[in-house]
Amino acid sequence: MAGALMDFERIVLADAELLLYRDFVAADEQQRLLQRLLDEVSWRQDLIRLFGRDCRIPRLQQFQGDPGLGYRYSGLRLEATPWHPLIASLRQRIAAIEPTAFNCVLLNLYRDGDDSMGWHSDDEPELGLNPVIASLSLGAARDFVLRHRQNPEQPRVSLRLEPGSLLLMRGPTQHHWQHALPRRRRVQEPRANLTFRRILDE
């Protein structure tokens, strides 16, 4: 179970603050959590606007949060559905190590290695200055890659996010770095990623 004294690894990057808790959720528990999410969440595949045309995102998703919250990206607005009790309990566990009062979570389901996430930063205006993002991984291990937005000479970084790991992105990270989850054709198993965030007054 998560606690204030959990071990973490500090990922040293210029213009960023990243903390990685590799064993936030134990191996046997994370598999049970993943199965419940697969069975109980109403996953959807939305359309986003890219280069002037509508495209289906290469993954499934759902947005949960406090009543009345909405989240916008790539021309899409998601309205918050109520917190699933399981996800609400995970939010409480994260609160033991991160004081940010998260009021929503974006869930992404990568059905296999063909599903992916393109380059982006979580820097929408409603997240405010220096947003904190808590990213919990369940299921298949995947590569999480980062690149500096302003300095092309800064080397790209690849983190292998194992099942049960929690990555905290703090400070100026979203202003200076983009991240992505590239395709990995050899991966056959699903991965669920829960990104907890705090939306300010819209």
Side-chain angles (χ1 to χ4, degrees):
M1 184 167 179
L5 299 179
M6 285 191 71
D7 291 334
F8 65 87
E9 176 183 348
R10 190 178 299 275
I11 310 299
V12 180
L13 291 179
D15 307 318
E17 183 181 353
L18 300 177
L19 304 180
L20 179 59
Y21 294 79
R22 293 192 180 274
D23 301 306
F24 186 79
V25 177
D28 56 343
E29 183 189 6
Q30 73 85 25
Q31 190 58 47
R32 292 194 300 270
L33 295 177
L34 173 64
Q35 192 59 55
R36 285 194 61 187
L37 294 181
L38 292 174
D39 294 340
E40 300 174 20
V41 168
S42 298
W43 298 99
R44 47 189 275 182
Q45 188 173 24
D46 288 295
L47 293 170
I48 59 173
R49 194 78 175 166
L50 286 177
F51 307 111
R53 62 190 184 95
D54 291 330
C55 304
R56 289 201 176 275
I57 61 173
R59 60 193 173 277
L60 306 182
Q61 66 181 9
Q62 194 194 63
F63 180 62
Q64 297 183 14
D66 294 348
L69 288 180
Y71 186 62
R72 299 180 183 87
Y73 75 94
S74 298
L76 177 69
R77 177 178 170 86
L78 302 174
E79 302 292 341
T81 60
W83 289 96
H84 186 290
L86 174 63
I87 298 174
S89 69
L90 290 170
R91 176 176 63 158
Q92 291 179 338
R93 291 170 63 169
I94 293 172
I97 59 171
E98 171 51 53
T100 299
F102 296 116
N103 58 10
C104 60
V105 60
L106 181 62
L107 295 85
N108 286 297
L109 176 61
Y110 303 90
R111 294 159 291 187
D112 55 31
D114 283 330
D115 280 356
S116 63
M117 175 79 77
W119 288 108
H120 71 286
S121 298
D122 296 324
D123 59 352
E124 290 78 13
E126 58 264 38
L127 298 178
L129 182 66
N130 293 337
V132 177
I133 308 294
S135 177
L136 177 63
S137 298
L138 303 172
R142 293 287 295 266
D143 296 322
F144 181 82
V145 294
L146 302 104
R147 68 182 182 187
H148 202 281
R149 296 173 65 171
Q150 296 89 19
N151 184 3
E153 296 183 359
Q154 185 77 31
R156 292 188 181 185
V157 176
S158 180
L159 302 176
R160 187 160 178 82
L161 297 184
E162 300 289 343
S165 64
L166 178 73
L167 178 66
L168 290 180
M169 295 182 280
R170 294 173 168 166
T173 305
Q174 304 303 325
H175 299 295
H176 298 289
W177 291 84
Q178 291 182 321
H179 52 271
L181 194 88
R183 286 184 171 86
R184 293 292 184 260
R185 299 300 171 95
R186 68 183 182 277
V187 176
Q188 302 297 319
E189 300 79 21
R191 171 188 186 254
N193 179 235
L194 287 64
T195 52
F196 293 85
R197 42 193 92 201
R198 178 168 180 78
I199 289 180
L200 307 178
D201 292 338
E202 295 186 85

